Amino acid sequence: MLYQTRRLRPVLLASAALTMIAVPAMAQQVDPASETAPQSDQAQVDDVVVTGLRATQRSSIDFKRSSAVIVDAIINDEIGSLPDNSVGDTLERVTGVTADRFKGNANELSVRGLGPTLSFSTFNGREVSTAGPDRSVAFQQFPSELVNGVLVYKSQQADFVDGGIAGVIELRSIRPLEARPRLQFEYRGVYQGKDDAIQGRDGLGYRANLSWTNRWLNTRAGDFGLSLGYQHQDQASPEDYYTTNSAFIPCNSEALNPSLITGTAAAQTAAGASFNCGLRNNLTAAQRAGTTDAPLYFATTSRTFRQISTEETRDGFMGALQWRPTERLDFLLDTQYSKRSSLENRNQLAITEAARGVEPMVIGDGGRYSEGALISYRGNSNLEIQNEDRLRDEEYKAVGLSGRWNGDRLRLSGDLSYSESHRTETQKSTNMRSPTRVAYTLDASTDVVPTVDFGGFDITNPASFLTTTIASNTNYARYRLATDRKDEIAAVRFDGVYDLSPTGFFRTLNMGARYSEHTRKTDLANNGDVNIPIARDGLTAAQIVAQANQNCRTAFPTSEFMTQSSTNVRRWASFDNDCLFRAYTGRDTNPLMADSRGPEDIDVKETISALYMMTTFGGEFRTTPFSGNFGVRYVKTEVDSRGYRSEVIVTPSVAGSAATIVTVPGTLSEVRGKGDYDYWLPSANVNFDLTDRTRLRFGASRSIARSGIEDFNVGINPQPDTTATTVQGVLANSQTGNPNLKPLDSWNLDASIEYYLNRDTAFSFAIYHKWIKNASFDAVQPFTTSIIANGVETTFNAVAPANDTQQRQLSGFEITGSTVFSQLPGLWSGLGVSGGYNYADADFEFPDPSSVAPYVAPAGLRGLSRHNANASVFWEGAGLQLRAAYRYRSDYSKPNSSTNRSVRGSGVLNLSASYDISRNVQLKLQALNVTNARDIMYKPGYDAVTEVSESNPQYYFGVRFRY
């Protein structure tokens, strides 16, 4: 099967290109009398393609009502007629769906409080590859203008592709034989004030798309339909940041004189100014003498103000060719392509030693500020101007070929698919450092972005950042291929449905099989760093730095930095990154490693085989009609992981000396690990039509969500336990992956009561409960493995991802409603509303893996917002459409860099308006994030702020032509 799927890949890609070219020639065989679709086709078109906000709401209600499972959807023209940057923004309008925001737009999605890795995403029923480090799909890669529908299935049935316990998110493109022929062109300009404030920029960008759908009926070869769509985007995503290092440390020491930055080392130690704060019992006697006791607080090791200028382009293509040679036989070839290029120019002012010589002034005690939050303090640190260019290129391509045959009682379908995502990210960075440490006072009592008094040090003067004593990393030039990740999924699927008695209890028998191969290859840390400027042309490193400080100065890039915050840090000295890089190295880039293989690299193949059987049923219970399905899915998964390990020399601790691990150069070798598991996944759904307007639904199922695929890596990153006295003990901190990780396993109960007053009005209330085990988020355990240490293969226990042995529970409810007030008089009859609220709670607990763990409460389930809501109000009439859409989600956990981290709750308001000049021409205006919401993250307490980002409102203006 591996040979077949590898051969399938070029065949599908080539056939997609050839058929897109060949179809216009087929049009020469069109029967002129067939320009009007048969009545059956026209009726189907009317059900699928609708226009206007009211019609879209109606079609979404119809889909929800007719589904066999609990589902919410937004389908048809709403996707293309609203100003969503991606389908991620569209999905946020579905009740229970929340997004993590990236560059001001919705990206990774959570369903019903379960994190982004616990839902399963498909495009036209096929698994979607992703270029991220886990399995969560970056929905930004899909242009909303080219997608026909988004569906969120919240309960399971046996024929769903396995992999999500939160739900199944399905994106759909149109089937051209079932859509109206049309030609559409849309252009939208965008204005962003934050981008306009950047030198050399005007704040303008644009999005444009062109799509065409046509069909040729009753040709000699049958019916043909073709749909093509292309979208191009060129706009910035400017952001301002205040961030801290992820490593917070617990401290209860107070420096006697943090401003003492000159004098002997002994004098500075006696003042408490020359070392990081900490727990006084852990300090040396000399350090304790330089401090006094303070209440417990949490300090961070660096603080950074970051201004970012960005450029981003995206091209997206979708195409579909449908061929119906007979009334019973149908084929569909469809393809998707997306390419994004994003460039960030980062200009940073960094307090690089933010935990040094801390004298607390205000510490949170659980009253006004959260306990342990360091709100105001004095300290001293080197300051740096840090420049960095980050270029991320990401490409997604997919192709699928499906066929279906409809007999009198038997229906068969098959599907071949391939998708590939590839991401590369290069980083080019330089710095300038202050010649001495600087005494400063930081105050965050009035805003989450602090004010900083640097005393007599002028952060706006480039000469302030001229170091005369050059040492490692005082002036660096780094060039890195930080990420090269490729993700591929090839799959084949067969399904069959046999109609039983239309009047009996059992209505159909469904059976099917699916086989897929998922491969992930990741090359990390391909670094070409120069830590000290290269002396050349008779110049010393110090002289090169002095010349660069003069020759590479630039004006501060923006006239508006952190305008929503009250900080006094509005600008600082700026240098041209390319100029510094050339000065330090004599070249534009550094050569990358000839052999970049290392223990951090990933090469994993995951093979999945699945079979299912399901039956649908129906009847009456007394006088109440009911229908539903039940079945079982069997899934077997095999993991084959390859990684790299080097031989090491281990020196244990002797008489209190620090133990060490040294990698032996030239000894890198490949190792291999395997894992497998299988599951039976039963499911049952039953729906009762209590009245002609009321439907009661119940669902019960077992589902799985697979662990992050990069957690299967078997490479070893040696890290010493410096106090250990044995070889095995020294190696015990080394990290590796675990190919034997099992998926999260969940038993689910769902119930929903739905009331359909009319075609425009529906209300529903749903409750759900999940029993979950095998969670592997941030869980670790000793993992028995081996490495060649001191020339001998040594077995030891490394640190590896693990499955949680505890059963956890999640429960919640959601309320959804929508209506159009058509019964009201006059203009009020065009008013409509829709909205939803989801509440979720879970008993997951994840202790912080850093040194603050003993002092803070464990984090909850990643991505879980206890409260999230969305609401839309619209009005349409006389060709005018107005809409306001608001979404809110409460705090949620978002760990990073081996520490727990949370995001503060926030809301976003979007406005849109359109006017139909004629049947074919529509004008559009939109305003996104009009409330200018900031994204705020914190750890290890609500007021221990670790990141604040400001984007800006986006104002769109454009026109759409449709024929």
Side-chain angles (χ1 to χ4, degrees), residues 690-728:
L690 303 181
T691 69
D692 58 353
R693 296 180 176 180
T694 307
R695 170 162 282 198
L696 177 64
R697 302 181 187 268
F698 295 100
S701 63
R702 187 188 191 189
S703 56
I704 60 173
R706 293 181 174 86
S707 302
I709 193 167
E710 296 196 355
D711 287 341
F712 299 144
N713 179 34
V714 292
I716 289 183
N717 182 20
Q719 297 198 10
D721 179 347
T722 58
T723 64
T725 57
T726 65
V727 170
Q728 289 84 353

Side-chain angles (χ1 to χ4, degrees), residues 541-557:
Q543 291 171 326
I544 288 173
V545 170
Q547 287 188 4
N549 186 280
Q550 286 289 334
N551 298 335
C552 300
R553 297 177 181 182
T554 62
F556 192 69

Side-chain angles (χ1 to χ4, degrees), residues 607-896:
T607 303
I608 302 172
S609 305
L611 300 169
Y612 78 88
M613 178 180 293
M614 183 178 75
T615 183
T616 63
F617 58 84
E620 288 190 356
F621 178 72
R622 296 181 179 174
T623 60
T624 301
F626 67 88
S627 61
N629 61 65
F630 65 85
V632 64
R633 187 178 189 89
Y634 172 75
V635 183
K636 181 174 179 59
T637 303
E638 298 177 313
V639 174
D640 185 358
S641 177
R642 300 170 188 264
Y644 299 102
R645 303 179 184 182
S646 293
E647 297 181 20
V648 293
I649 301 298
V650 178
T651 304
S653 173
V654 178
S657 64
T660 60
I661 299 177
V662 178
T663 300
V664 179
T667 60
L668 191 72
S669 62
E670 185 179 273
V671 293
R672 190 171 181 179
K674 289 180 176 290
D676 64 84
Y677 54 83
D678 59 349
Y679 281 85
W680 292 91
L681 306 175
S683 62
N685 297 277
V686 60
N687 307 309
F688 295 93
D689 292 319
L690 303 181
T691 69
D692 58 353
R693 296 180 176 180
T694 307
R695 170 162 282 198
L696 177 64
R697 302 181 187 268
F698 295 100
S701 63
R702 187 188 191 189
S703 56
I704 60 173
R706 293 181 174 86
S707 302
I709 193 167
E710 296 196 355
D711 287 341
F712 299 144
N713 179 34
V714 292
I716 289 183
N717 182 20
Q719 297 198 10
D721 179 347
T722 58
T723 64
T725 57
T726 65
V727 170
Q728 289 84 353
V730 175
L731 291 167
N733 282 346
S734 301
Q735 297 178 347
T736 186
N738 183 359
N740 293 307
L741 276 178
K742 301 299 184 288
L744 275 78
D745 177 8
S746 177
W747 287 93
N748 318 294
L749 288 179
D750 296 90
S752 174
I753 183 76
E754 301 165 2
Y755 180 66
Y756 300 92
L757 180 62
N758 53 52
R759 293 192 66 188
D760 296 319
T761 304
F763 301 96
S764 65
F765 176 79
I767 58 174
Y768 51 93
H769 191 89
K770 300 178 182 294
W771 293 264
I772 304 171
K773 64 179 182 179
N774 288 343
S776 59
F777 307 115
D778 302 320
V780 294
Q781 69 176 10
F783 183 81
T784 303
T785 186
S786 65
I787 195 170
I788 296 178
N790 302 339
V792 179
E793 184 168 359
T794 304
T795 300
F796 70 102
N797 288 327
V799 178
N803 292 115
D804 184 1
T805 58
Q806 298 294 316
Q807 178 174 274
R808 311 291 183 175
Q809 299 187 50
L810 179 141
S811 58
F813 68 87
E814 60 186 20
I815 304 169
T816 305
S818 58
T819 188
V820 176
F821 298 100
S822 54
Q823 72 277 12
L824 297 178
L827 294 176
W828 292 105
S829 62
L831 183 66
V833 297
S834 65
Y837 168 77
N838 183 85
Y839 173 86
D841 195 18
D843 63 355
F844 284 78
E845 290 188 350
F846 298 104
D848 195 298
S850 72
S851 60
V852 302
Y855 311 100
V856 297
L861 180 62
R862 179 178 302 178
L864 172 63
S865 287
R866 183 168 291 185
H867 308 277
N868 69 79
N870 64 83
S872 297
V873 179
F874 69 85
W875 182 89
E876 59 182 351
L880 179 65
Q881 298 179 359
L882 304 174
R883 181 166 186 147
Y886 180 80
R887 72 91 178 146
Y888 170 81
R889 71 178 300 185
S890 61
D891 294 26
Y892 61 97
S893 173
K894 186 183 179 181
N896 81 316

Side-chain angles (χ1 to χ4, degrees), residues 584-625:
Y584 291 171
T585 66
R587 53 192 178 233
D588 292 327
T589 62
N590 289 332
L592 294 172
M593 301 164 64
D595 184 358
S596 63
R597 295 175 301 166
E600 68 282 346
D601 294 343
I602 289 108
D603 184 355
V604 175
K605 183 175 75 173
E606 181 182 65
T607 303
I608 302 172
S609 305
L611 300 169
Y612 78 88
M613 178 180 293
M614 183 178 75
T615 183
T616 63
F617 58 84
E620 288 190 356
F621 178 72
R622 296 181 179 174
T623 60
T624 301

Side-chain angles (χ1 to χ4, degrees), residues 79 105 109 367 381 451 548 720 744 789 844 852 918:
I79 305 297
N105 301 308
L109 298 172
S381 172
T451 60
L744 275 78
F844 284 78
V852 302
S918 67

